Amino acid sequence: MSRRHSVNRPPTPDVRDDDEDDRPKEPTLLEIVNIKLIESGEKERLMELVRERLVECGWKDEMRALCRAFIKKNGRENVTVDDLVRAITPKGRASIPDSVKAELLQKIRTFLVSVAH
Amino acid sequence: MSMSKEDDLSSNSELLSDVFQYLLDCIIVDVASESHRIARLGLDRNLDEEEEELRLSADARARTSETCHSSEANGKYIVDIFGQTHPPIANEIFDCMNCGRSIMAGRFAPHLEKCMGKGRKARLKSTRSSTASQTNR
């Protein structure tokens, strides 16, 4: 019996021949910032802060309820993490309270400024 | 790296929202992963509708039985399924068809025992000899 994997990983990209001649691929700005966030520990702090805020305002409960409804509808043996992510992301992004969004943006802005100097 | 620090600042607003979305997506994946784990491990007690129905009806039964017990033990009145209470002794009053007196419904049977002479301690308005033959069993 073939079972769906819970998390779909994209296949490892094949090494292409032209890479050996050209310079190595440029990391995107987002990747650079992500590395700096992780190295400085700021990502961990930000994540903790946002998680706490989203629990306080009931956002997490809303998302958990959406997940449960989806699972109930589709059967709990058939659901993958990817399915759930796809199911809750639109509502999840839209229902972030403005205060939480503003607080997070402010902290990111501060971090980017500190990294740039 | 060809990007300079000034470039970081100039494309800041787009970068800002990208980072924000990225962090948000991480959190969404966390929540989805947590819900997925709970569902697949069967840790969510109420996920099955039938289970929930059974549990709710069991709870309801427990609640009504405890209300019954509490009223029998503590109060005077028992509550029925319509929420009505009835006094332990029926208190409607009517006239006895034998002797014509006003009797409370709840006291009617003992009254009839005496009134019609069928009970042990009943006495008829008759001679002592007939009373003795009736009550001697």
Side-chain angles (χ1 to χ4, degrees):
Chain A
M1 172 166 76
S2 66
R3 296 193 62 171
R4 295 174 69 189
H5 294 289
S6 290
V7 180
N8 288 330
R9 293 187 212 287
T12 313
D14 297 326
V15 178
R16 288 171 297 155
D17 283 328
D18 26 358
D19 265 3
E20 289 168 24
D21 300 329
D22 291 348
R23 59 202 158 104
K25 274 182 116 170
E26 286 283 320
T28 68
L29 206 46
L30 186 57
E31 283 168 356
I32 296 168
V33 171
N34 187 31
I35 290 168
K36 293 215 175 292
L37 277 171
I38 295 171
E39 281 177 350
S40 64
E42 188 63 18
K43 185 180 181 191
E44 191 68 35
R45 282 189 286 272
L46 288 178
M47 297 283 279
E48 276 306 302
L49 173 70
V50 177
R51 277 195 204 103
E52 191 182 321
R53 292 279 179 266
L54 292 178
V55 166
E56 283 168 359
C57 70
W59 177 93
K60 186 178 175 184
D61 292 332
E62 268 184 59
M63 295 302 115
R64 294 270 303 261
L66 284 178
C67 288
R68 284 190 74 224
F70 185 87
I71 290 166
K72 241 179 175 168
K73 189 173 173 200
N74 294 293
R76 67 183 180 97
E77 295 299 320
N78 304 328
V79 172
T80 67
V81 176
D82 287 341
D83 291 338
L84 288 176
V85 169
R86 240 173 281 129
I88 67 174
T89 291
K91 185 80 196 294
R93 285 185 179 171
S95 58
I96 298 285
D98 289 338
S99 57
V100 177
K101 184 170 179 178
E103 193 179 355
L104 184 58
L105 285 173
Q106 178 55 44
K107 292 210 145 50
I108 298 171
R109 198 180 292 123
T110 308
F111 177 76
L112 290 176
V113 167
S114 73
V115 159
H117 291 110
Chain B
M1 201 188 310
S2 63
M3 294 261 189
S4 65
K5 300 275 165 66
E6 287 72 44
D7 282 345
D8 283 344
L9 289 177
S10 67
S11 56
N12 227 356
S13 59
E14 189 189 325
L15 182 61
L16 190 61
S17 81
D18 281 352
V19 174
F20 172 77
Q21 287 289 15
Y22 169 69
L23 291 178
L24 197 52
D25 286 346
C26 285
I27 292 176
I28 287 175
V29 170
D30 283 349
V31 174
S33 172
E34 187 182 330
S35 293
H36 176 268
R37 173 182 174 269
I38 287 173
R40 291 296 292 262
L41 291 181
L43 297 178
D44 190 346
R45 268 206 316 146
N46 303 332
L47 201 57
D48 247 354
E49 286 207 16
E50 283 183 32
E51 280 180 32
E52 185 156 16
E53 289 295 312
L54 289 172
R55 196 180 60 85
L56 285 175
S57 60
D59 284 354
R61 255 180 275 127
R63 248 177 282 125
T64 48
S65 66
E66 77 183 43
T67 346
C68 284
H69 290 151
S70 68
S71 62
E72 280 164 15
N74 307 332
K76 291 184 287 180
Y77 301 132
I78 295 169
V79 181
D80 69 16
I81 59 169
F82 299 108
Q84 296 171 327
T85 60
H86 307 281
I89 302 171
N91 50 15
E92 183 168 321
I93 296 179
F94 63 99
D95 295 336
C96 169
M97 54 290 296
N98 199 37
C99 64
R101 283 160 60 187
S102 288
I103 309 292
M104 242 183 55
R107 306 293 318 158
F108 190 51
H111 164 78
L112 271 187
E113 282 181 356
K114 299 189 190 78
C115 180
M116 297 178 75
K118 288 212 153 172
R120 282 178 291 131
K121 303 222 168 166
R123 282 176 167 266
L124 286 177
K125 297 179 193 167
S126 61
T127 61
R128 279 189 184 270
S129 55
S130 57
T131 313
S133 67
Q134 274 192 346
T135 53
N136 268 345
R137 292 212 185 174

